[in-house]
Amino acid sequence: MACLSPSQLQKFQDDGFLVLEGFLSSDECTALQQRIAVLMAKMDVPEHCRTVFTTHREEQLRAQCISDYFLNSGDKVRFFFEKDVFDEKGEFLVPPEKSINKIGHALHAHDPVFKSVTYSPKVQALARSLGLQKPVVVQSMYIFKQPRIGGEVAPHQDATFLYTEPLGRVIGIWIALEDATLENSCLWFIPGSHTSGVARRFIRGPDGTSYLGSEPDWDDSLFVPVPVQRGALVLIHGEVVHKSAQNLSDRSRQAYTVHLMEAEGTIWSPENWLQPTVELPFPPLYT
């Protein structure tokens, strides 16, 4: 079981993140990677990715298609691509399996292999040791961080996108399915940055999405790298500031991520881009 010791719990409370090496076995990592390969082999590329747009109006329509595809993905398994992986005819410029940025946002609900890991006894034990009473799963993603083209993730707080009242109710679970190193763009954190609230919010309104507030100009010297080995789990407090660089190496950095929310006494913001649906209310973690 993956229960936290008192010292581990204190470190998470102090730093806003915590590394648990060896959380998944090599076989468990391989099972997720093999399953994602099957999903990629069957994927349908969204039409808006392949379509060539030549007028301003067509570009507006494309932007709307992209926005709708993302905003309606919370209860589905959808594919999101890196920039510039299609030519003007909508054909792949790189092998399809090397073109994907991430798959989201409901692998935990719709795929049996990812479901078995998400709701495993050791994930439940980890949540209980964090003191979560009624945790629910709000989203899941498979992140590829492709070699040479895997995009930068700018400094951010998860609660910018997954806002709750009160704050402090969202926790990220980030599981390395490959070694995450300085070379292939491991995560970087500002220790202790989870105690000052949220700098900005990403909200969804009737006219689309927008940001409220602005991201501070974070001091780059405050970030510390967190390289981990395959199978490690990184706990991420919803307000801790973190980032990752563009992957310029020749190795990918695949990871499976899940976000949990403590539902007891918590209001999920109706302005969040991600909302529970009739088809998929946020499912309870404890089974």
PDB file of all heavy atoms in Angstrom, residues 251-284:
ATOM      1  N   ARG A 251      14.568  11.574 -26.731  1.00  0.00           N
ATOM      2  CA  ARG A 251      13.764  10.624 -25.953  1.00  0.00           C
ATOM      3  C   ARG A 251      12.487  11.285 -25.477  1.00  0.00           C
ATOM      4  O   ARG A 251      12.498  12.429 -25.012  1.00  0.00           O
ATOM      5  CB  ARG A 251      14.559  10.112 -24.745  1.00  0.00           C
ATOM      6  CG  ARG A 251      15.760   9.246 -25.116  1.00  0.00           C
ATOM      7  CD  ARG A 251      16.491   8.751 -23.886  1.00  0.00           C
ATOM      8  NE  ARG A 251      17.088   9.866 -23.138  1.00  0.00           N
ATOM      9  CZ  ARG A 251      16.671  10.256 -21.951  1.00  0.00           C
ATOM     10  NH1 ARG A 251      15.639   9.679 -21.360  1.00  0.00           N
ATOM     11  NH2 ARG A 251      17.275  11.268 -21.343  1.00  0.00           N
ATOM     12  N   SER A 252      11.383  10.578 -25.584  1.00  0.00           N
ATOM     13  CA  SER A 252      10.114  11.096 -25.075  1.00  0.00           C
ATOM     14  C   SER A 252      10.102  11.039 -23.547  1.00  0.00           C
ATOM     15  O   SER A 252      11.015  10.487 -22.915  1.00  0.00           O
ATOM     16  CB  SER A 252       8.945  10.291 -25.648  1.00  0.00           C
ATOM     17  OG  SER A 252       9.057   8.917 -25.308  1.00  0.00           O
ATOM     18  N   ARG A 253       9.082  11.622 -22.958  1.00  0.00           N
ATOM     19  CA  ARG A 253       8.933  11.646 -21.501  1.00  0.00           C
ATOM     20  C   ARG A 253       7.454  11.444 -21.172  1.00  0.00           C
ATOM     21  O   ARG A 253       6.740  12.352 -20.797  1.00  0.00           O
ATOM     22  CB  ARG A 253       9.439  12.985 -20.947  1.00  0.00           C
ATOM     23  CG  ARG A 253       9.604  13.052 -19.429  1.00  0.00           C
ATOM     24  CD  ARG A 253       9.086  14.357 -18.868  1.00  0.00           C
ATOM     25  NE  ARG A 253       7.656  14.516 -19.094  1.00  0.00           N
ATOM     26  CZ  ARG A 253       7.004  15.658 -18.939  1.00  0.00           C
ATOM     27  NH1 ARG A 253       7.630  16.766 -18.627  1.00  0.00           N
ATOM     28  NH2 ARG A 253       5.683  15.726 -19.142  1.00  0.00           N
ATOM     29  N   GLN A 254       7.009  10.206 -21.339  1.00  0.00           N
ATOM     30  CA  GLN A 254       5.587   9.910 -21.200  1.00  0.00           C
ATOM     31  C   GLN A 254       5.174   9.837 -19.730  1.00  0.00           C
ATOM     32  O   GLN A 254       5.940   9.381 -18.871  1.00  0.00           O
ATOM     33  CB  GLN A 254       5.251   8.610 -21.910  1.00  0.00           C
ATOM     34  CG  GLN A 254       5.469   8.682 -23.418  1.00  0.00           C
ATOM     35  CD  GLN A 254       5.099   7.408 -24.135  1.00  0.00           C
ATOM     36  OE1 GLN A 254       4.456   6.520 -23.591  1.00  0.00           O
ATOM     37  NE2 GLN A 254       5.516   7.301 -25.386  1.00  0.00           N
ATOM     38  N   ALA A 255       3.948  10.296 -19.468  1.00  0.00           N
ATOM     39  CA  ALA A 255       3.418  10.286 -18.107  1.00  0.00           C
ATOM     40  C   ALA A 255       1.903  10.150 -18.150  1.00  0.00           C
ATOM     41  O   ALA A 255       1.253  10.567 -19.116  1.00  0.00           O
ATOM     42  CB  ALA A 255       3.802  11.570 -17.371  1.00  0.00           C
ATOM     43  N   TYR A 256       1.352   9.570 -17.099  1.00  0.00           N
ATOM     44  CA  TYR A 256      -0.104   9.502 -16.910  1.00  0.00           C
ATOM     45  C   TYR A 256      -0.446  10.379 -15.717  1.00  0.00           C
ATOM     46  O   TYR A 256       0.161  10.247 -14.645  1.00  0.00           O
ATOM     47  CB  TYR A 256      -0.551   8.068 -16.661  1.00  0.00           C
ATOM     48  CG  TYR A 256      -2.045   7.940 -16.379  1.00  0.00           C
ATOM     49  CD1 TYR A 256      -2.978   8.454 -17.256  1.00  0.00           C
ATOM     50  CD2 TYR A 256      -2.499   7.293 -15.237  1.00  0.00           C
ATOM     51  CE1 TYR A 256      -4.339   8.347 -17.009  1.00  0.00           C
ATOM     52  CE2 TYR A 256      -3.852   7.158 -14.979  1.00  0.00           C
ATOM     53  CZ  TYR A 256      -4.773   7.692 -15.868  1.00  0.00           C
ATOM     54  OH  TYR A 256      -6.127   7.581 -15.614  1.00  0.00           O
ATOM     55  N   THR A 257      -1.387  11.278 -15.887  1.00  0.00           N
ATOM     56  CA  THR A 257      -1.749  12.204 -14.818  1.00  0.00           C
ATOM     57  C   THR A 257      -3.243  12.124 -14.520  1.00  0.00           C
ATOM     58  O   THR A 257      -4.064  11.920 -15.414  1.00  0.00           O
ATOM     59  CB  THR A 257      -1.384  13.658 -15.169  1.00  0.00           C
ATOM     60  OG1 THR A 257      -2.303  14.158 -16.148  1.00  0.00           O
ATOM     61  CG2 THR A 257       0.029  13.760 -15.698  1.00  0.00           C
ATOM     62  N   VAL A 258      -3.546  12.295 -13.248  1.00  0.00           N
ATOM     63  CA  VAL A 258      -4.931  12.306 -12.760  1.00  0.00           C
ATOM     64  C   VAL A 258      -5.064  13.472 -11.792  1.00  0.00           C
ATOM     65  O   VAL A 258      -4.132  13.756 -11.018  1.00  0.00           O
ATOM     66  CB  VAL A 258      -5.270  10.984 -12.023  1.00  0.00           C
ATOM     67  CG1 VAL A 258      -6.657  11.058 -11.403  1.00  0.00           C
ATOM     68  CG2 VAL A 258      -5.164   9.794 -12.961  1.00  0.00           C
ATOM     69  N   HIS A 259      -6.195  14.144 -11.833  1.00  0.00           N
ATOM     70  CA  HIS A 259      -6.479  15.168 -10.831  1.00  0.00           C
ATOM     71  C   HIS A 259      -7.660  14.733  -9.966  1.00  0.00           C
ATOM     72  O   HIS A 259      -8.705  14.339 -10.490  1.00  0.00           O
ATOM     73  CB  HIS A 259      -6.777  16.519 -11.487  1.00  0.00           C
ATOM     74  CG  HIS A 259      -5.543  17.247 -11.920  1.00  0.00           C
ATOM     75  ND1 HIS A 259      -5.032  17.137 -13.195  1.00  0.00           N
ATOM     76  CD2 HIS A 259      -4.705  18.068 -11.237  1.00  0.00           C
ATOM     77  CE1 HIS A 259      -3.935  17.874 -13.286  1.00  0.00           C
ATOM     78  NE2 HIS A 259      -3.713  18.443 -12.119  1.00  0.00           N
ATOM     79  N   LEU A 260      -7.444  14.811  -8.666  1.00  0.00           N
ATOM     80  CA  LEU A 260      -8.468  14.491  -7.679  1.00  0.00           C
ATOM     81  C   LEU A 260      -8.951  15.777  -7.014  1.00  0.00           C
ATOM     82  O   LEU A 260      -8.197  16.737  -6.868  1.00  0.00           O
ATOM     83  CB  LEU A 260      -7.907  13.570  -6.593  1.00  0.00           C
ATOM     84  CG  LEU A 260      -7.249  12.262  -7.031  1.00  0.00           C
ATOM     85  CD1 LEU A 260      -6.695  11.531  -5.805  1.00  0.00           C
ATOM     86  CD2 LEU A 260      -8.228  11.384  -7.792  1.00  0.00           C
ATOM     87  N   MET A 261     -10.211  15.761  -6.601  1.00  0.00           N
ATOM     88  CA  MET A 261     -10.753  16.857  -5.798  1.00  0.00           C
ATOM     89  C   MET A 261     -11.409  16.284  -4.550  1.00  0.00           C
ATOM     90  O   MET A 261     -12.155  15.293  -4.639  1.00  0.00           O
ATOM     91  CB  MET A 261     -11.792  17.664  -6.584  1.00  0.00           C
ATOM     92  CG  MET A 261     -12.439  18.782  -5.757  1.00  0.00           C
ATOM     93  SD  MET A 261     -13.799  19.633  -6.600  1.00  0.00           S
ATOM     94  CE  MET A 261     -15.080  18.373  -6.633  1.00  0.00           C
ATOM     95  N   GLU A 262     -11.122  16.883  -3.411  1.00  0.00           N
ATOM     96  CA  GLU A 262     -11.858  16.553  -2.200  1.00  0.00           C
ATOM     97  C   GLU A 262     -13.240  17.177  -2.307  1.00  0.00           C
ATOM     98  O   GLU A 262     -13.384  18.406  -2.288  1.00  0.00           O
ATOM     99  CB  GLU A 262     -11.118  17.090  -0.971  1.00  0.00           C
ATOM    100  CG  GLU A 262     -11.915  17.011   0.319  1.00  0.00           C
ATOM    101  CD  GLU A 262     -12.344  15.595   0.670  1.00  0.00           C
ATOM    102  OE1 GLU A 262     -11.548  14.875   1.288  1.00  0.00           O
ATOM    103  OE2 GLU A 262     -13.483  15.215   0.311  1.00  0.00           O
ATOM    104  N   ALA A 263     -14.262  16.345  -2.476  1.00  0.00           N
ATOM    105  CA  ALA A 263     -15.615  16.853  -2.713  1.00  0.00           C
ATOM    106  C   ALA A 263     -16.322  17.261  -1.428  1.00  0.00           C
ATOM    107  O   ALA A 263     -17.300  18.027  -1.473  1.00  0.00           O
ATOM    108  CB  ALA A 263     -16.442  15.796  -3.447  1.00  0.00           C
ATOM    109  N   GLU A 264     -15.861  16.767  -0.284  1.00  0.00           N
ATOM    110  CA  GLU A 264     -16.499  17.090   0.981  1.00  0.00           C
ATOM    111  C   GLU A 264     -16.326  18.571   1.295  1.00  0.00           C
ATOM    112  O   GLU A 264     -15.209  19.066   1.471  1.00  0.00           O
ATOM    113  CB  GLU A 264     -15.898  16.239   2.113  1.00  0.00           C
ATOM    114  CG  GLU A 264     -16.540  16.459   3.467  1.00  0.00           C
ATOM    115  CD  GLU A 264     -17.975  15.958   3.531  1.00  0.00           C
ATOM    116  OE1 GLU A 264     -18.280  14.939   2.869  1.00  0.00           O
ATOM    117  OE2 GLU A 264     -18.795  16.590   4.219  1.00  0.00           O
ATOM    118  N   GLY A 265     -17.440  19.319   1.345  1.00  0.00           N
ATOM    119  CA  GLY A 265     -17.390  20.731   1.680  1.00  0.00           C
ATOM    120  C   GLY A 265     -16.741  21.608   0.633  1.00  0.00           C
ATOM    121  O   GLY A 265     -16.239  22.692   0.947  1.00  0.00           O
ATOM    122  N   THR A 266     -16.743  21.160  -0.618  1.00  0.00           N
ATOM    123  CA  THR A 266     -16.054  21.886  -1.689  1.00  0.00           C
ATOM    124  C   THR A 266     -17.025  22.286  -2.785  1.00  0.00           C
ATOM    125  O   THR A 266     -17.907  21.511  -3.163  1.00  0.00           O
ATOM    126  CB  THR A 266     -14.940  21.013  -2.310  1.00  0.00           C
ATOM    127  OG1 THR A 266     -14.071  20.566  -1.280  1.00  0.00           O
ATOM    128  CG2 THR A 266     -14.147  21.790  -3.354  1.00  0.00           C
ATOM    129  N   ILE A 267     -16.856  23.494  -3.303  1.00  0.00           N
ATOM    130  CA  ILE A 267     -17.617  23.960  -4.458  1.00  0.00           C
ATOM    131  C   ILE A 267     -16.697  23.976  -5.672  1.00  0.00           C
ATOM    132  O   ILE A 267     -15.652  24.645  -5.667  1.00  0.00           O
ATOM    133  CB  ILE A 267     -18.197  25.367  -4.220  1.00  0.00           C
ATOM    134  CG1 ILE A 267     -19.163  25.355  -3.036  1.00  0.00           C
ATOM    135  CG2 ILE A 267     -18.900  25.886  -5.486  1.00  0.00           C
ATOM    136  CD1 ILE A 267     -19.659  26.736  -2.642  1.00  0.00           C
ATOM    137  N   TRP A 268     -17.055  23.210  -6.686  1.00  0.00           N
ATOM    138  CA  TRP A 268     -16.344  23.228  -7.966  1.00  0.00           C
ATOM    139  C   TRP A 268     -16.856  24.427  -8.751  1.00  0.00           C
ATOM    140  O   TRP A 268     -18.053  24.573  -8.976  1.00  0.00           O
ATOM    141  CB  TRP A 268     -16.624  21.933  -8.722  1.00  0.00           C
ATOM    142  CG  TRP A 268     -15.968  21.824 -10.061  1.00  0.00           C
ATOM    143  CD1 TRP A 268     -16.560  22.018 -11.274  1.00  0.00           C
ATOM    144  CD2 TRP A 268     -14.608  21.467 -10.333  1.00  0.00           C
ATOM    145  NE1 TRP A 268     -15.648  21.814 -12.288  1.00  0.00           N
ATOM    146  CE2 TRP A 268     -14.440  21.477 -11.744  1.00  0.00           C
ATOM    147  CE3 TRP A 268     -13.510  21.148  -9.533  1.00  0.00           C
ATOM    148  CZ2 TRP A 268     -13.227  21.184 -12.346  1.00  0.00           C
ATOM    149  CZ3 TRP A 268     -12.306  20.855 -10.128  1.00  0.00           C
ATOM    150  CH2 TRP A 268     -12.177  20.870 -11.522  1.00  0.00           C
ATOM    151  N   SER A 269     -15.965  25.307  -9.164  1.00  0.00           N
ATOM    152  CA  SER A 269     -16.404  26.543  -9.799  1.00  0.00           C
ATOM    153  C   SER A 269     -17.199  26.269 -11.075  1.00  0.00           C
ATOM    154  O   SER A 269     -16.715  25.546 -11.968  1.00  0.00           O
ATOM    155  CB  SER A 269     -15.217  27.431 -10.135  1.00  0.00           C
ATOM    156  OG  SER A 269     -15.647  28.560 -10.882  1.00  0.00           O
ATOM    157  N   PRO A 270     -18.381  26.853 -11.205  1.00  0.00           N
ATOM    158  CA  PRO A 270     -19.140  26.706 -12.451  1.00  0.00           C
ATOM    159  C   PRO A 270     -18.498  27.430 -13.620  1.00  0.00           C
ATOM    160  O   PRO A 270     -18.928  27.269 -14.763  1.00  0.00           O
ATOM    161  CB  PRO A 270     -20.502  27.323 -12.100  1.00  0.00           C
ATOM    162  CG  PRO A 270     -20.218  28.269 -10.984  1.00  0.00           C
ATOM    163  CD  PRO A 270     -19.099  27.653 -10.199  1.00  0.00           C
ATOM    164  N   GLU A 271     -17.438  28.212 -13.358  1.00  0.00           N
ATOM    165  CA  GLU A 271     -16.717  28.907 -14.420  1.00  0.00           C
ATOM    166  C   GLU A 271     -15.523  28.108 -14.937  1.00  0.00           C
ATOM    167  O   GLU A 271     -14.868  28.535 -15.893  1.00  0.00           O
ATOM    168  CB  GLU A 271     -16.240  30.272 -13.929  1.00  0.00           C
ATOM    169  CG  GLU A 271     -17.363  31.240 -13.617  1.00  0.00           C
ATOM    170  CD  GLU A 271     -16.854  32.566 -13.118  1.00  0.00           C
ATOM    171  OE1 GLU A 271     -15.918  32.595 -12.290  1.00  0.00           O
ATOM    172  OE2 GLU A 271     -17.386  33.609 -13.560  1.00  0.00           O
ATOM    173  N   ASN A 272     -15.213  26.966 -14.311  1.00  0.00           N
ATOM    174  CA  ASN A 272     -14.115  26.152 -14.819  1.00  0.00           C
ATOM    175  C   ASN A 272     -14.434  25.645 -16.219  1.00  0.00           C
ATOM    176  O   ASN A 272     -15.593  25.363 -16.540  1.00  0.00           O
ATOM    177  CB  ASN A 272     -13.865  24.953 -13.906  1.00  0.00           C
ATOM    178  CG  ASN A 272     -13.193  25.344 -12.599  1.00  0.00           C
ATOM    179  OD1 ASN A 272     -12.568  26.393 -12.505  1.00  0.00           O
ATOM    180  ND2 ASN A 272     -13.316  24.495 -11.592  1.00  0.00           N
ATOM    181  N   TRP A 273     -13.390  25.486 -17.050  1.00  0.00           N
ATOM    182  CA  TRP A 273     -13.614  24.969 -18.403  1.00  0.00           C
ATOM    183  C   TRP A 273     -14.155  23.546 -18.351  1.00  0.00           C
ATOM    184  O   TRP A 273     -14.963  23.153 -19.198  1.00  0.00           O
ATOM    185  CB  TRP A 273     -12.322  25.003 -19.214  1.00  0.00           C
ATOM    186  CG  TRP A 273     -11.367  23.877 -18.907  1.00  0.00           C
ATOM    187  CD1 TRP A 273     -10.329  23.890 -18.028  1.00  0.00           C
ATOM    188  CD2 TRP A 273     -11.388  22.556 -19.477  1.00  0.00           C
ATOM    189  NE1 TRP A 273      -9.711  22.667 -17.993  1.00  0.00           N
ATOM    190  CE2 TRP A 273     -10.333  21.831 -18.880  1.00  0.00           C
ATOM    191  CE3 TRP A 273     -12.197  21.923 -20.420  1.00  0.00           C
ATOM    192  CZ2 TRP A 273     -10.054  20.499 -19.197  1.00  0.00           C
ATOM    193  CZ3 TRP A 273     -11.912  20.590 -20.750  1.00  0.00           C
ATOM    194  CH2 TRP A 273     -10.858  19.892 -20.136  1.00  0.00           C
ATOM    195  N   LEU A 274     -13.707  22.778 -17.362  1.00  0.00           N
ATOM    196  CA  LEU A 274     -14.090  21.380 -17.223  1.00  0.00           C
ATOM    197  C   LEU A 274     -15.268  21.274 -16.269  1.00  0.00           C
ATOM    198  O   LEU A 274     -15.198  21.772 -15.143  1.00  0.00           O
ATOM    199  CB  LEU A 274     -12.900  20.575 -16.677  1.00  0.00           C
ATOM    200  CG  LEU A 274     -13.143  19.114 -16.343  1.00  0.00           C
ATOM    201  CD1 LEU A 274     -13.431  18.302 -17.597  1.00  0.00           C
ATOM    202  CD2 LEU A 274     -11.943  18.534 -15.598  1.00  0.00           C
ATOM    203  N   GLN A 275     -16.343  20.650 -16.733  1.00  0.00           N
ATOM    204  CA  GLN A 275     -17.537  20.498 -15.919  1.00  0.00           C
ATOM    205  C   GLN A 275     -18.015  19.052 -15.956  1.00  0.00           C
ATOM    206  O   GLN A 275     -17.906  18.372 -16.970  1.00  0.00           O
ATOM    207  CB  GLN A 275     -18.653  21.415 -16.418  1.00  0.00           C
ATOM    208  CG  GLN A 275     -18.367  22.888 -16.273  1.00  0.00           C
ATOM    209  CD  GLN A 275     -18.248  23.334 -14.818  1.00  0.00           C
ATOM    210  OE1 GLN A 275     -18.953  22.816 -13.941  1.00  0.00           O
ATOM    211  NE2 GLN A 275     -17.349  24.281 -14.559  1.00  0.00           N
ATOM    212  N   PRO A 276     -18.540  18.569 -14.822  1.00  0.00           N
ATOM    213  CA  PRO A 276     -19.157  17.240 -14.842  1.00  0.00           C
ATOM    214  C   PRO A 276     -20.362  17.258 -15.775  1.00  0.00           C
ATOM    215  O   PRO A 276     -20.995  18.298 -15.973  1.00  0.00           O
ATOM    216  CB  PRO A 276     -19.564  17.020 -13.385  1.00  0.00           C
ATOM    217  CG  PRO A 276     -19.689  18.402 -12.815  1.00  0.00           C
ATOM    218  CD  PRO A 276     -18.680  19.243 -13.532  1.00  0.00           C
ATOM    219  N   THR A 277     -20.666  16.113 -16.359  1.00  0.00           N
ATOM    220  CA  THR A 277     -21.794  16.011 -17.277  1.00  0.00           C
ATOM    221  C   THR A 277     -22.762  14.946 -16.783  1.00  0.00           C
ATOM    222  O   THR A 277     -22.459  14.165 -15.873  1.00  0.00           O
ATOM    223  CB  THR A 277     -21.314  15.641 -18.692  1.00  0.00           C
ATOM    224  OG1 THR A 277     -20.705  14.342 -18.648  1.00  0.00           O
ATOM    225  CG2 THR A 277     -20.315  16.653 -19.218  1.00  0.00           C
ATOM    226  N   VAL A 278     -23.927  14.915 -17.414  1.00  0.00           N
ATOM    227  CA  VAL A 278     -24.903  13.872 -17.089  1.00  0.00           C
ATOM    228  C   VAL A 278     -24.296  12.502 -17.389  1.00  0.00           C
ATOM    229  O   VAL A 278     -24.466  11.544 -16.632  1.00  0.00           O
ATOM    230  CB  VAL A 278     -26.198  14.088 -17.894  1.00  0.00           C
ATOM    231  CG1 VAL A 278     -27.158  12.914 -17.698  1.00  0.00           C
ATOM    232  CG2 VAL A 278     -26.857  15.397 -17.485  1.00  0.00           C
ATOM    233  N   GLU A 279     -23.570  12.429 -18.516  1.00  0.00           N
ATOM    234  CA  GLU A 279     -22.957  11.164 -18.909  1.00  0.00           C
ATOM    235  C   GLU A 279     -21.807  10.772 -17.977  1.00  0.00           C
ATOM    236  O   GLU A 279     -21.578   9.586 -17.736  1.00  0.00           O
ATOM    237  CB  GLU A 279     -22.430  11.254 -20.342  1.00  0.00           C
ATOM    238  CG  GLU A 279     -23.506  11.391 -21.408  1.00  0.00           C
ATOM    239  CD  GLU A 279     -24.086  12.808 -21.486  1.00  0.00           C
ATOM    240  OE1 GLU A 279     -23.446  13.754 -20.959  1.00  0.00           O
ATOM    241  OE2 GLU A 279     -25.170  12.963 -22.076  1.00  0.00           O
ATOM    242  N   LEU A 280     -21.090  11.761 -17.440  1.00  0.00           N
ATOM    243  CA  LEU A 280     -19.958  11.475 -16.566  1.00  0.00           C
ATOM    244  C   LEU A 280     -19.877  12.503 -15.449  1.00  0.00           C
ATOM    245  O   LEU A 280     -19.109  13.467 -15.513  1.00  0.00           O
ATOM    246  CB  LEU A 280     -18.643  11.447 -17.360  1.00  0.00           C
ATOM    247  CG  LEU A 280     -17.398  11.057 -16.550  1.00  0.00           C
ATOM    248  CD1 LEU A 280     -17.529   9.637 -16.011  1.00  0.00           C
ATOM    249  CD2 LEU A 280     -16.133  11.196 -17.403  1.00  0.00           C
ATOM    250  N   PRO A 281     -20.654  12.308 -14.382  1.00  0.00           N
ATOM    251  CA  PRO A 281     -20.394  13.074 -13.170  1.00  0.00           C
ATOM    252  C   PRO A 281     -19.012  12.705 -12.642  1.00  0.00           C
ATOM    253  O   PRO A 281     -18.499  11.623 -12.953  1.00  0.00           O
ATOM    254  CB  PRO A 281     -21.494  12.604 -12.205  1.00  0.00           C
ATOM    255  CG  PRO A 281     -22.481  11.860 -13.049  1.00  0.00           C
ATOM    256  CD  PRO A 281     -21.727  11.321 -14.226  1.00  0.00           C
ATOM    257  N   PHE A 282     -18.381  13.594 -11.887  1.00  0.00           N
ATOM    258  CA  PHE A 282     -17.071  13.265 -11.361  1.00  0.00           C
ATOM    259  C   PHE A 282     -17.181  12.002 -10.497  1.00  0.00           C
ATOM    260  O   PHE A 282     -17.843  12.010  -9.454  1.00  0.00           O
ATOM    261  CB  PHE A 282     -16.511  14.406 -10.515  1.00  0.00           C
ATOM    262  CG  PHE A 282     -16.182  15.654 -11.303  1.00  0.00           C
ATOM    263  CD1 PHE A 282     -16.186  16.898 -10.698  1.00  0.00           C
ATOM    264  CD2 PHE A 282     -15.834  15.584 -12.654  1.00  0.00           C
ATOM    265  CE1 PHE A 282     -15.867  18.049 -11.403  1.00  0.00           C
ATOM    266  CE2 PHE A 282     -15.519  16.729 -13.375  1.00  0.00           C
ATOM    267  CZ  PHE A 282     -15.536  17.966 -12.751  1.00  0.00           C
ATOM    268  N   PRO A 283     -16.549  10.896 -10.900  1.00  0.00           N
ATOM    269  CA  PRO A 283     -16.735   9.642 -10.178  1.00  0.00           C
ATOM    270  C   PRO A 283     -15.943   9.598  -8.875  1.00  0.00           C
ATOM    271  O   PRO A 283     -14.814  10.117  -8.806  1.00  0.00           O
ATOM    272  CB  PRO A 283     -16.213   8.586 -11.164  1.00  0.00           C
ATOM    273  CG  PRO A 283     -15.250   9.321 -12.021  1.00  0.00           C
ATOM    274  CD  PRO A 283     -15.738  10.732 -12.110  1.00  0.00           C
ATOM    275  N   PRO A 284     -16.491   8.994  -7.828  1.00  0.00           N
ATOM    276  CA  PRO A 284     -15.747   8.857  -6.574  1.00  0.00           C
ATOM    277  C   PRO A 284     -14.551   7.929  -6.735  1.00  0.00           C
ATOM    278  O   PRO A 284     -14.618   6.931  -7.459  1.00  0.00           O
ATOM    279  CB  PRO A 284     -16.781   8.271  -5.600  1.00  0.00           C
ATOM    280  CG  PRO A 284     -17.806   7.622  -6.468  1.00  0.00           C
ATOM    281  CD  PRO A 284     -17.839   8.418  -7.748  1.00  0.00           C
TER     282      PRO A 284
END
